[in-house]
Structure formats: structure tokens, C-alpha cells
Amino acid sequence: MAINASFRREIEKRRTFGIISHPDAGKTTLTEKLLLFGGAIQVAGAVKSNKIKRSATSDFMEIERQRGISVATSVMAFEYGGKMINILDTPGHKDFAEDTYRTLTAVDSVIVVIDVAKGVEQQTKKLVEVSRMRDTPIIVFVNKLDREGKDGFDLLDEIEQDLGLQVCPLSWPVGMGQRFQGVYNIFEKNLILFSAHGKQEGDDITKIQDLNSPILDQLIGAQAAEELRNDIHTIQEIYPAFDREDYLQGKLSPVFFGSAINNFGVKELLDCFVQIAPPPLPRHTEERIIRPEEDRLTGFVFKIHANMDPKHRDRIAFLRVCSGIFRRNTNYLHVRQDRKIKFSNPTAFMASKKSIVDEAYPGDIVGLYDSGNFIIGDGITEGEKIHFKGIPQFSPEQFRLVINQDPLRYKQLHKGLTQLMDEGVAQLFVKEDNNQKIIGTVGALQFDVIQYRLQHEYGASCTYETLHIYKACWIEILDEEDYKKFYTRKKKDIAKDKHDQLVYLAESAWSLKMTQENYLGIKLHFKSEF
Ligand code: G4P
């Protein structure tokens, strides 16, 4: 296929991004408002929060319920301002952080939501850290300005220090909580006043070319006007002016203020987003860099979702199209399995509707029905053997030994564990000394989920023994002789991950430090790609 103008236009139109936040900062609310603007939903409340609500049901039954709705909200596509926007949903619960990390490999930019009262929280830090590993462009939205919170400048300091982002405010609040009057849009130089009913009307936008104009005093009162003038003056002195190149390189993060629930400041965010956010970016593979405008299809699987019905073991693999045009009923190469594969019912996601697609472009996400052929990270091409990079595993936080409770059903247990790990529910490590299986997760909830799903979907039962492992570190061998010594001494702490990569399971921070000091011929990494 020749590269033509319409193909380029399709690529240029795509904006694929993720919204990340600490639970409760307002990610679901903001997503919903964006979808309302895009006309993808008509009423508020249509997007189900995918967070685990504190409720009477036990946590893991709640997870099963969430699993049912999260397919629908995995990708939400809509058109706005002439752009095709794909929002990739990320699980809110911290125990599912791994899932979020992987989704972040499929986006081109992110919006971070921060609660004005709580500031930078634990989960925000982790997710921004992962985004920064790939220099993903980041926009910050400070939410809940209708409530009392931290001082704007203190918050910007916190964002710079705790998240390591160079910020550049593009909007600025006039008061907050009871005194919240609106936001001054620095990007477009206009003042938007907050109305009591919470709607953001076109009439409320007053263009202020000159902040010294007395109209400002009339609109928001002399004291607030004076404060705003001083604040904007300070901003101009301390913060760099917005530079799109710096933003695109992940070096500068614009900050917006607003209140998602009141739909305030959201349109400014979205209007700016469609102007500045990057179209589909090139992707790195072990062999070469893939550019979206290349005519041959490439894509990779970043998420796998199992069917809820145990009788139907099919799953949906989420493919990010990286280059070329994905076409239905066309033969492609499944690189890892080295065989041809074609898809008769690929689905696209328009808000909560799913529909069969005939064509998909770079930046788009396609859902592929899969009977167990895919694992996370798999690539699809038109024949080229390329291996996508940038989907690393991180050290889990909790480790348990799997104990089979039914020796006659070992095969089922093995198959179940393998498939659940392919889905990315947790990480499996097989010990070098005795082949025992260890599961590693970010949070305790997954252990219950795995046990439940093994029983219900595979008829296998297991229990766990808690292991005191501090970290899993991926081993890079610099010197074979030194590695052999290390292997002989530490065999009981060495395992292989599901890609047969060697991993050292350090018992404590101290043993990790000692190992690093004693064996200079090996290098230990906290992620599987180095
Ligand atoms: P999350 O996805 O990041 O976890 O957050 P979510 O949008 O579910 O919002 C968490 C809570 O914060 C919700 O209240 C939501 O209504 C509230 N919220 C979101 N944006 C704003 C805002 O701009 N101002 C104020 N004051 N609150 C906001 P909840 O009581 O936990 O849930 P709900 O019963 O309202 O759904």
C-alpha cells in the first residue's frame, strides 16, 4: 500500500492517552466529563467507576464484578475538535498497578489528576515514575477546587519535587472552596467564572487581554483581582513559558485547575489537549524504531482480558496499532509463535459500545478474540520479525509459594497458572533448585482472585505459603565465572520468570546489598528490561 495523504491524515487525527491518579482524586469523574464533551455518552453516571468500592461484599467478589464492567471501559473512543480520541482506562486500585503500568506502554501521553487537598499521593508518584521512564508527555489537572485545599504555589512545588516534573501553569484558580470564583486561562488569556449550578456556560467566559483592566475588579472583586494579578505576575517570573517541544519530549508539564464534578475547567483542559497532545508516536523494538506512517502493519498486545464465563475460555487481547493499517480477515504474522493468524471479528471501542472494525489506524486499540494464543508483549506484523520493547515487569511486592491441593489435577493447575500469568494477573517464578512455583503480586487481593479463578475456571485447587522475599531482581551476567560462583552459592534464591529470564529473589535489603557487593560479575535490575 502506498503511503497516501488520507492515511497520514488518519494518523494525525489520533490522540491516544491515559488518565492516571491516586484512587479518589477524580479520574472517573473527569473521564466521564470528557466523554460528555465528546458526545460519547449523554448522561452523567454512564461510566462505572472501576475502582474497588468499600462495600459490604468481600473485596474479591467485587473484583469479579469489576472485571465484568472493565472490558467496556478499557478503551473509550470519541471524536472532539476534529480529533479521534482514545482514552485507555487504568485500574484505580493499587493492587492492579501492574495492569496500569502495561497500559501506559500503549498510550502517547497522560493526564495526571491530583486532588487539591491531598496533593501528590503515593500512587500518583509510582504512575508518573513509570510514565517518565518513556518520557511520556504529561499534563496535570488539579481537581476539586470547589473544596478547600493547598495553596496553588505550594502544590506546584510539591508536583515539581515529588513527581520530578518541571511545571508550567496554563490556568490559575481564583480562590478555592467557598471563595472559588473561577479560573483564569493563561493559555487563552480569558477568565471563566464558576457559576453556582456548576455548569460552564459560554456566557461566563470573559476575555481579559489586560489583567490591569478595571473589569477584572468588577467581575471578581478588588481583593481577588489584586491577588490574581500578583499570582500571574509571580507565575511569569518563576515558571517557564509553555513550549510545545519541551512538553512533547516530556520535559515540561502544563498544569490546569478545575473541578471535574462541576464540569469546571474541563473544557479548557480538553481544548488545550487536542491542540498540544502528541499524535501516535514511534515505538521501539529490539530491532529498530517503528514509525506510525510506515505502510506495513505492526502492533503489540498490552492487555489480555479473560471471559467471565468459565465455559467459554476465550479472551480479548488488546492490540495497539503502531504502524500501517490493521485490516479484518487479513493474514498477519504472530511473531512469537512464528505463524500466520487472521481475525474475523476484531472489535473497536466507542465509549461503552463495541463494534466490529474493518480497519484501524496507528494509535487505535483493537480487541482481538483469542483462545490462548497471546501473551502480553506479543507482536503482530506483516512478516517482519520484530520484538517490541518497553513492556517490562517490575518486582512484585508480595510473594507466595503455590501448594497444589489436588495431585491428580496438577495439569489443570499448571495450565491455569500459565494462562492467568499470560493475562498478566501476577508474575510466576519457578525456582532453580526444586522447580517450586512462586507467585508474585503487587497487592494481596490477586492471591484470592487467582485461587478463585483456578478453582472455577480450571477445576484446580491450591493454597499458599507466605514467603519473606524483599525483592525480585532480574540478573544481568557480566562475567560468567562470577555468575557460576553466585549460582552455586545462591541457587535456592534463584528462579526463572515466564520468559526464562533469571531472577534473584532477595530475602532482605541487606542480602541484596551484600550480593551486589560480593558478586561484581552480575548486575541486578528492578525491572525485567535493562
Ligand atoms: P477516582 O476515579 O480517581 O477514584 O475518583 P472518582 O472520579 O470516583 O471521584 C472520587 C470522589 O471525588 C467521588 O465522590 C467524586 O464525586 C468526587 N469528586 C470528583 N471530582 C470532584 C470535584 O471536582 N469536587 C468535589 N468536591 N468532589 C469531586 P464519592 O463520594 O467517593 O463518590 P460518588 O458517590 O460521588 O460517586
Side-chain angles (χ1 to χ4, degrees):
M1 188 202 66
I3 300 174
N4 58 38
S6 81
F7 176 49
R8 275 185 188 277
R9 264 200 309 278
E10 289 295 338
I11 299 173
E12 217 3 79
K13 265 169 72 175
R14 262 65 187 173
R15 296 289 181 274
T16 302
F17 77 107
I19 305 181
I20 55 178
S21 75
H22 190 89
D24 272 348
K27 180 172 72 72
T28 311
T29 313
L30 179 65
T31 307
E32 184 163 283
K33 300 301 175 193
L34 295 176
L35 293 178
L36 282 167
F37 276 119
I41 53 169
Q42 267 68 46
V43 286
V47 179
K48 301 272 183 300
S49 166
N50 72 0
K51 70 185 164 181
I52 313 291
K53 295 249 184 214
R54 285 160 235 97
S55 60
T57 49
S58 77
D59 268 337
F60 91 101
M61 284 311 287
E62 181 64 17
I63 291 168
E64 282 296 290
R65 193 182 67 78
Q66 296 296 346
R67 205 153 65 85
I69 57 174
S70 69
V71 173
T73 59
S74 284
V75 184
M76 289 161 282
F78 64 94
E79 279 194 73
Y80 183 84
K83 301 286 189 288
M84 271 292 304
I85 298 175
N86 295 310
I87 306 184
L88 271 52
D89 195 22
T90 54
H93 198 284
K94 71 167 175 35
D95 285 11
F96 292 85
E98 242 342 275
D99 208 16
T100 302
Y101 300 159
R102 285 190 295 259
T103 297
L104 290 178
T105 64
V107 303
D108 298 305
S109 69
V110 298
I111 294 180
V112 183
V113 184
I114 291 175
D115 182 325
V116 68
K118 297 198 175 132
V120 173
E121 296 173 88
Q122 195 51 38
Q123 198 62 4
T124 333
K125 266 195 213 170
K126 271 198 170 173
L127 295 173
V128 167
E129 214 174 281
V130 174
S131 304
R132 284 172 55 83
M133 279 168 38
R134 295 174 50 239
D135 297 325
T136 307
I138 298 173
I139 294 179
V140 179
F141 181 73
V142 178
N143 191 26
K144 307 197 186 181
L145 263 292
D146 57 315
R147 292 216 185 134
E148 287 302 327
K150 299 187 179 188
D151 168 75
F153 288 107
D154 289 348
L155 207 53
L156 293 180
D157 279 354
E158 198 175 311
I159 295 168
E160 289 203 328
Q161 275 160 26
D162 294 359
L163 299 181
L165 300 178
Q166 167 71 65
V167 297
C168 143
L170 287 189
S171 83
W172 193 250
V174 181
M176 66 171 73
Q178 295 285 328
R179 294 167 296 109
F180 182 53
Q181 298 208 60
V183 287
Y184 179 66
N185 185 339
I186 302 174
F187 191 58
E188 301 201 343
K189 292 200 172 48
N190 55 34
L191 179 72
I192 306 122
L193 295 177
F194 181 57
S195 52
H197 53 76
K199 290 225 178 66
Q200 199 177 309
E201 310 284 0
D203 299 349
D204 295 341
I205 298 177
T206 311
K207 289 250 177 217
I208 306 258
Q209 299 295 353
D210 177 9
L211 274 181
N212 290 320
S213 155
I215 301 172
L216 189 66
D217 300 74
Q218 286 165 25
L219 285 171
I220 60 175
Q223 195 188 341
E226 198 48 36
E227 261 174 45
L228 179 63
R229 287 183 189 113
N230 288 339
D231 285 355
I232 300 294
H233 181 71
T234 311
I235 288 169
Q236 282 161 349
E237 297 240 300
I238 322 182
Y239 298 102
F242 177 68
D243 180 298
R244 182 161 185 239
E245 261 323 295
D246 285 350
Y247 157 69
L248 292 178
Q249 288 175 22
K251 292 183 186 154
L252 185 67
S253 291
V255 181
F256 287 84
F257 292 81
S259 166
I261 195 116
N262 291 299
N263 206 2
F264 201 83
V266 177
K267 188 167 181 297
E268 287 62 41
L269 172 73
L270 183 58
D271 285 341
C272 179
F273 173 85
V274 293
Q275 277 191 55
I276 69 170
L281 297 174
R283 284 289 184 283
H284 291 262
T285 70
E286 277 167 27
E287 292 76 13
R288 64 187 188 87
I289 291 176
I290 309 273
R291 308 211 166 269
E293 55 280 358
E294 290 178 20
D295 58 355
R296 288 166 164 253
L297 172 94
T298 64
F300 68 91
V301 171
F302 63 94
K303 175 175 177 146
I304 294 175
H305 210 294
N307 197 322
M308 295 284 290
D309 181 352
K311 290 189 208 79
H312 300 280
R313 206 59 80 54
D314 60 330
R315 320 187 276 187
I316 299 179
F318 291 78
L319 182 88
R320 148 103 195 193
V321 179
C322 299
S323 66
I325 301 179
F326 175 91
R327 290 195 166 90
R328 187 154 91 100
N329 281 326
T330 303
N331 273 316
Y332 291 119
L333 177 69
H334 183 312
V335 177
R336 185 178 50 85
Q337 292 188 340
D338 194 17
R339 69 183 182 87
K340 289 272 165 60
I341 188 164
K342 70 176 170 188
F343 308 95
S344 48
N345 295 311
T347 47
F349 305 88
M350 286 299 280
S352 54
K353 282 202 299 288
K354 284 192 288 174
S355 58
I356 291 180
V357 273
D358 289 316
E359 287 189 342
Y361 294 89
D364 282 344
I365 310 298
V366 184
L368 307 174
Y369 286 98
D370 169 42
S371 51
N373 286 316
F374 287 115
I375 64 175
I376 284 163
D378 273 348
I380 293 289
T381 70
E382 288 190 25
E384 192 179 352
K385 297 204 168 149
I386 45 168
H387 301 85
F388 283 90
K389 283 200 332 196
I391 314 181
Q393 290 169 267
F394 297 88
S395 176
E397 320 244 318
Q398 306 205 18
F399 298 85
R400 290 188 195 171
L401 190 66
V402 181
I403 299 162
N404 182 12
Q405 287 301 318
D406 187 350
L408 294 177
R409 299 187 70 82
Y410 172 79
K411 266 192 183 160
Q412 282 82 350
L413 179 73
H414 181 71
K415 185 173 176 197
L417 277 176
T418 308
Q419 293 204 345
L420 292 181
M421 299 307 131
D422 290 350
E423 254 180 61
V425 177
Q427 294 182 49
L428 187 69
F429 302 100
V430 180
K431 285 183 69 184
E432 284 287 272
D433 61 345
N434 56 14
N435 280 326
Q436 281 182 330
K437 293 184 166 75
I438 294 174
I439 294 180
T441 67
V442 176
L445 282 178
Q446 273 102 329
F447 291 112
D448 294 343
V449 173
I450 292 166
Q451 210 171 29
Y452 175 85
R453 290 188 58 191
L454 283 172
Q455 182 84 59
H456 285 80
E457 294 171 34
Y458 300 89
S461 65
C462 74
T463 52
Y464 303 113
E465 187 184 308
T466 303
L467 297 174
H468 297 287
I469 293 172
Y470 166 66
K471 280 240 154 50
C473 308
W474 280 265
I475 302 170
E476 182 181 6
I477 303 172
L478 304 174
D479 179 282
E480 281 292 342
E481 282 308 307
D482 209 24
Y483 172 68
K484 274 186 199 147
K485 276 188 230 153
F486 165 74
Y487 188 87
T488 315
R489 284 290 307 274
K490 299 276 184 182
K491 196 170 176 186
K492 70 170 188 37
D493 299 326
I494 300 175
K496 281 200 175 128
D497 72 3
K498 80 174 155 64
H499 300 291
D500 279 343
Q501 256 183 282
L502 285 162
V503 175
Y504 169 55
L505 303 169
E507 270 177 10
S508 62
W510 186 80
S511 63
L512 177 61
K513 183 170 170 278
M514 292 314 290
T515 305
Q516 272 169 333
E517 284 175 11
N518 291 339
Y519 300 95
L520 297 174
I522 59 162
K523 204 167 170 191
L524 300 173
H525 299 268
F526 293 118
K527 57 182 167 74
S528 64
E529 264 183 15
F530 40 82

